[in-house]
Amino acid sequence: MNGVPMNNAPHLLTEDRPEFERLLDEALRDGTILTALQTPGALTAEQLRTKALLAADTVAAAAGAEYEHYTRLRAGLRGAPPPGQSGEPTAPGLLTQLRSGNGGAGLFPVLTVLTPILAWAAALVLLLLGYALRAADPALALARSVLTAGWVALAAGALAMVVGIVGLILTALRDGATAPGGGDPDLTAELADARRDWQHALSRRALLPYLHAHLHSEPALPPVVPSPGGAPPADFTSPGYSSGRYSRPGFTSPGSEGLTDPEGREPRTAAFTGPDFTGPGYTPPAFTGPDEV
């Protein structure tokens, strides 16, 4: 491996992203990174982790050669074609699996599944019919024959179920003891070496340089989710706020000599005069004494 980043490096597959996150956490615990995080103006560890996760494909491209070799080898051991430009492996079809001796289920497992179902269905019908005939005529020989056939079918279904369970256990034990590369230890060892090479290149040549280069960059912002229909987000404004500048609304308030102007600063003469309240004319009644009568 020459270690040069590839221009057409494959995208990081979904199954490998947990490994990327694990190596990222290990890189954040590196001594040089921990020391650099203490410098003034540096991002926090969580901000740096978020930034690296958002740029996972870009960061992993620095180890693209090792990753391509690892994914191709892994796909070949699984019997599937390597991932294409889209970065997703293609799964073999159902007919291909059935025709294959390794990936498809043979005739025996299918029979062990279908036999109990068919046998129990036949047993149910025969038993119901046999008991109905015996209820109609207890001496009828056909009723006894039908009941016997029903019980035989029930027993056959139970036996087929036991055989299927035993076969399933033996198949699981056999597959668990088989190596991923069809039992070839050399291919398995080569896959393990390719995985270690990719992990080392991703950690030393991709993650650590990226973290050092972005210690003092702007923190990553969450992606903006467009509103439905592509409409721009709602413009929330408040009174007196426009284009980032705030101006107080025009209002008037009473001043010492009248009302203020529309800006609320200069007083102006009141536009009204209060009513002139005068008391009613009151004259006391004229009283005359008895001498004037």
Side-chain angles (χ1 to χ4, degrees):
M1 298 301 168
N2 53 13
V4 179
M6 303 176 58
N7 295 330
N8 57 346
H11 292 289
L12 194 63
L13 301 181
T14 303
E15 60 182 306
D16 296 321
R17 289 188 180 272
E19 187 69 18
F20 178 87
E21 295 184 18
R22 185 185 67 82
L23 293 174
L24 174 59
D25 293 336
E26 290 183 0
L28 288 171
R29 293 192 294 268
D30 186 79
T32 58
I33 297 296
L34 291 177
T35 303
L37 288 174
Q38 305 300 323
T39 58
L43 299 179
T44 64
E46 187 61 30
Q47 290 174 335
L48 202 56
R49 184 179 188 274
T50 303
K51 198 175 186 69
L53 287 178
L54 292 177
D57 289 333
T58 303
V59 177
E66 289 81 1
Y67 185 61
E68 183 183 19
H69 175 66
Y70 168 57
T71 53
R72 288 186 179 275
L73 185 59
R74 182 177 62 187
L77 290 176
R78 292 176 178 176
Q85 295 298 327
S86 61
E88 293 296 335
T90 57
L94 179 60
L95 294 178
T96 305
Q97 293 182 357
L98 291 177
R99 292 169 183 171
S100 174
N102 296 328
L107 180 61
F108 178 74
V110 174
L111 289 179
T112 56
V113 173
L114 293 179
T115 301
I117 298 175
L118 296 176
W120 288 336
L124 179 62
V125 173
L126 291 174
L127 290 176
L128 290 176
L129 181 60
Y131 281 113
L133 291 175
R134 193 172 69 174
D137 187 1
L140 187 62
L142 180 60
R144 291 193 299 269
S145 300
V146 173
L147 286 174
T148 302
W151 286 111
V152 171
L154 186 63
L159 180 61
M161 184 184 67
V162 173
V163 173
I165 292 175
V166 173
L168 182 63
I169 294 175
L170 293 178
T171 303
L173 293 176
R174 181 193 62 191
D175 293 343
T178 304
D184 191 341
D186 294 335
L187 294 178
T188 305
E190 185 179 358
L191 177 63
D193 292 339
R195 184 170 183 266
R196 282 193 297 267
D197 292 341
W198 170 62
Q199 290 175 347
H200 184 270
L202 182 62
S203 178
R204 298 298 171 185
R205 203 169 63 237
L207 287 171
L208 287 176
Y210 180 86
L211 296 179
H212 280 291
H214 292 80
L215 274 169
H216 295 83
S217 62
E218 294 292 332
L221 297 177
V224 178
V225 179
S227 58
D235 183 17
F236 295 96
T237 58
S238 58
Y241 184 82
S242 175
S243 302
R245 297 180 294 105
Y246 179 79
S247 61
R248 52 186 175 182
F251 62 90
T252 60
S253 61
S256 58
E257 299 178 0
L259 300 178
T260 59
D261 61 1
E263 297 296 330
R265 292 189 295 269
E266 299 296 333
R268 61 181 182 179
T269 306
F272 64 92
T273 57
D276 184 13
F277 294 97
T278 57
Y282 176 78
T283 56
F287 292 99
T288 58
D291 293 339
E292 299 179 2
V293 177

